[in-house]
Amino acid sequence: MDRRSFVAWSAGLGAIPLFSREAKAQAAQLQAQAKFANLKITAVELWQATGDAKRYEAYLDEEYPKGGMLKPAPGSGRGGPAGPPSRTYMKILSNGGLEGFYGPHDQNVVDEVVKIRSVVGMDPFAIDTVWESLVTGDNRYTGTYMFGVSAITNTLWDMKGKLCGLPVYRLLGGSRKLVECYATTIGMPVNTIDTIAAGAERVKKAGFKAQKWFPTLGPGDGPEGFEFNVTMMKTLREVCGEKYDIMIDGLTRWDLPYGIRWCRAVEQYHPRWLEEPFQTYSQIETLPRLRQTTTIPIATGEHNYNRWDFYELVKAGAADILEPDPEWCGGISEVARICAIASAAGLKVSPHHMKLNALAHLVASQPPAVCPLVENRHSMYMGTKYFEKNPIGHNGNSQIELSDRPGFGIELDDSKIVSMKKIFPA
């Protein structure tokens, strides 16, 4: 039978059930795949959700104790009534009807997305190509511009997960749903040793097996301030116990002589690491010198914004633990590349927590030997997760459990939303 005869013959079979049910299902799947094979980004949108102030205050009353925290009293200088909650989310649309959804985002992201070059018309699944189009040429983009890049690429990972029906950590090659976490106590009072001791005890009772503290004093506070910072570490060890992990973040307020003196004074209390003791601009020179004088592991990277920055840190021998943030460092793809650099150098990665979703999925995608811990910044996360219907979070046993929902699994709870409006494009 020649081709013309075959076509005529097959056309006459239109009313005959030529395919089995299984074959029809396979054909439908192939049609769907063909539909998504030529996807293009059609729009990048920002949506603002606003809720009820009284309901949000009641929610915070429940959430603060879960992190071992005390809710700030009005007039305390650490916050008062929260007011109506308002959060901004990114939505990326495609011509196939598939959407990516991620957030919430702060004002820095909103400002940068408004200015950032358009990705409309690009393939939403070519995430590295999109990234390269936004971070091009000889410039090493830093700062808030990278916040916008992170928001876009993370949202594309959510879309890709929805197409595949898999959570992002599975797409990235991971398999562990449970990841170990530690509590970040930023926002808790550190004005007296007794206050610090009480806070550490609360955090431990909340189920965390590790916690990080933030001494606010530095070289300008004289001998008394130095002694306070040493006593702080000593007290944390006494309260938490010998086998409990304690991290200290110097908030970039120290200088090299101060850092050397402090490390020598507290080595006996075995902090798990000292984080960002010096200004970012000086750390390539100062951190390697500090590492040569102490047995305390050194962590840094929160304020570094791409793989080239981290490669310089690795080459300089500046740190034992790298801390890129998936919301600041170009997104989850770039942080995965930084993890590869760290692994090759025998270093650990403990990403900084600005938001938990991409962070937890990134850590879960990596071997525990590379990414052993998730930072749990409860003071931040209890606010950012408010509108989510099924948020991930601390399970009471120093762990975060991820869901099997596709993408990042972020779904908003309509019952908490008073208004939802698109703020970009206007």
Side-chain angles (χ1 to χ4, degrees):
M1 182 182 295
D2 61 25
R3 179 178 178 274
R4 182 177 298 175
S5 300
F6 174 79
V7 172
W9 171 77
S10 60
L13 299 178
I16 300 176
L18 185 62
F19 300 119
S20 67
R21 182 176 301 175
E22 292 78 9
K24 287 180 179 179
Q26 291 177 353
Q29 184 178 14
L30 289 172
Q31 289 176 351
Q33 290 174 348
K35 177 182 179 182
F36 291 127
N38 296 309
L39 275 189
K40 302 295 181 186
I41 297 172
T42 57
V44 176
E45 299 177 348
L46 293 171
W47 288 78
Q48 186 177 69
T50 303
D52 177 75
K54 290 184 178 180
R55 182 172 180 178
Y56 186 55
E57 284 289 345
Y59 162 83
L60 293 179
D61 287 340
E62 296 179 357
E63 283 295 314
Y64 269 97
K66 293 179 182 178
M69 306 178 70
L70 297 176
K71 185 179 178 182
S76 66
R78 295 194 300 117
S86 180
R87 306 285 182 265
T88 301
Y89 298 86
M90 177 174 287
K91 183 186 291 187
I92 295 183
L93 312 181
S94 72
N95 57 347
L98 199 64
E99 298 182 358
F101 187 78
Y102 188 67
H105 302 293
D106 60 24
Q107 189 60 43
N108 284 322
V109 173
V110 174
D111 293 342
E112 293 301 333
V113 170
V114 170
K115 297 183 295 183
I116 210 165
R117 69 193 68 171
S118 176
V119 296
V120 170
M122 299 191 70
D123 181 350
F125 300 139
I127 299 175
D128 285 350
T129 301
V130 173
W131 194 96
E132 293 291 343
S133 78
L134 298 174
V135 187
T136 57
D138 295 328
N139 294 317
R140 293 186 181 180
Y141 288 99
T142 61
T144 56
Y145 178 84
M146 296 303 290
F147 298 4
V149 174
S150 303
I152 290 171
T153 55
N154 286 340
T155 307
L156 293 178
W157 273 108
D158 180 72
M159 183 188 291
K160 192 170 186 175
K162 288 173 178 172
L163 173 68
C164 299
L166 292 171
V168 171
Y169 76 92
R170 292 280 307 280
L171 290 179
L172 291 169
S175 62
R176 51 179 174 142
K177 290 183 63 174
L178 285 174
V179 290
E180 299 296 320
C181 70
Y182 69 91
T184 291
T185 66
I186 195 164
M188 294 176 67
V190 292
N191 54 317
T192 70
I193 294 298
D194 288 344
T195 300
I196 294 167
E201 185 64 35
R202 287 196 308 273
V203 171
K204 186 177 179 181
K205 286 183 177 179
F208 291 98
K209 298 176 183 177
Q211 50 188 280
K212 182 165 71 181
W213 284 81
F214 301 79
T216 59
L217 305 179
D221 297 294
E224 294 82 6
F226 179 83
E227 188 59 34
F228 185 95
N229 283 348
V230 172
T231 304
M232 177 182 190
M233 182 62 222
K234 177 177 181 289
T235 301
L236 290 170
R237 177 56 65 213
E238 290 171 349
V239 170
C240 296
E242 287 299 318
K243 296 183 179 180
Y244 194 96
D245 281 329
I246 299 165
M247 301 79 154
I248 299 294
D249 188 330
L251 295 168
T252 71
R253 297 180 180 182
W254 300 356
D255 57 26
L256 182 58
Y258 191 97
I260 292 173
R261 286 180 59 216
W262 185 86
C263 286
R264 287 174 176 168
V266 305
E267 279 182 342
Q268 59 185 310
Y269 307 122
H270 307 292
R272 176 151 182 175
W273 70 63
L274 170 63
E275 180 175 330
E276 285 201 315
F278 312 134
Q279 286 286 342
T280 304
Y281 64 78
S282 72
Q283 60 186 357
I284 291 292
E285 292 77 28
T286 53
L287 289 182
R289 295 170 65 184
L290 178 63
R291 286 184 76 207
Q292 292 171 3
T293 68
T294 183
T295 60
I296 300 172
I298 303 300
T300 194
E302 171 185 340
H303 297 105
N304 296 93
Y305 298 102
N306 53 56
R307 78 196 82 149
W308 300 284
D309 280 358
F310 284 91
Y311 183 57
E312 294 299 325
L313 289 171
V314 172
K315 284 199 303 180
D320 302 278
I321 302 103
L322 303 181
E323 298 182 313
D325 191 313
E327 309 297 334
W328 293 352
C329 196
I332 202 168
S333 300
E334 185 71 349
V335 177
R337 289 187 279 265
I338 292 166
C339 287
I341 294 172
S343 177
L347 304 179
K348 308 291 186 188
V349 178
S350 182
H352 176 258
H353 176 178
M354 192 61 194
K355 285 186 273 295
L356 188 56
N357 284 294
L359 166 63
H361 280 261
L362 181 279
V363 172
S365 77
Q366 300 295 312
V370 177
C371 283
L373 287 172
V374 169
E375 180 176 18
N376 190 322
R377 188 179 174 187
H378 192 77
S379 60
M380 170 69 70
Y381 187 55
M382 65 183 174
T384 60
K385 71 177 182 178
Y386 173 68
F387 287 112
E388 294 185 28
K389 184 176 291 186
N390 299 294
I392 60 175
H394 177 231
N395 66 2
N397 190 32
S398 210
Q399 295 172 321
I400 290 172
E401 183 170 357
L402 282 76
S403 77
D404 288 323
R405 295 188 297 275
F408 291 113
I410 300 173
E411 182 181 356
L412 301 189
D413 185 346
D414 291 338
S415 70
K416 294 181 179 179
I417 299 175
V418 174
S419 69
M420 187 80 170
K421 65 178 180 178
K422 185 170 70 173
I423 60 174
F424 175 79

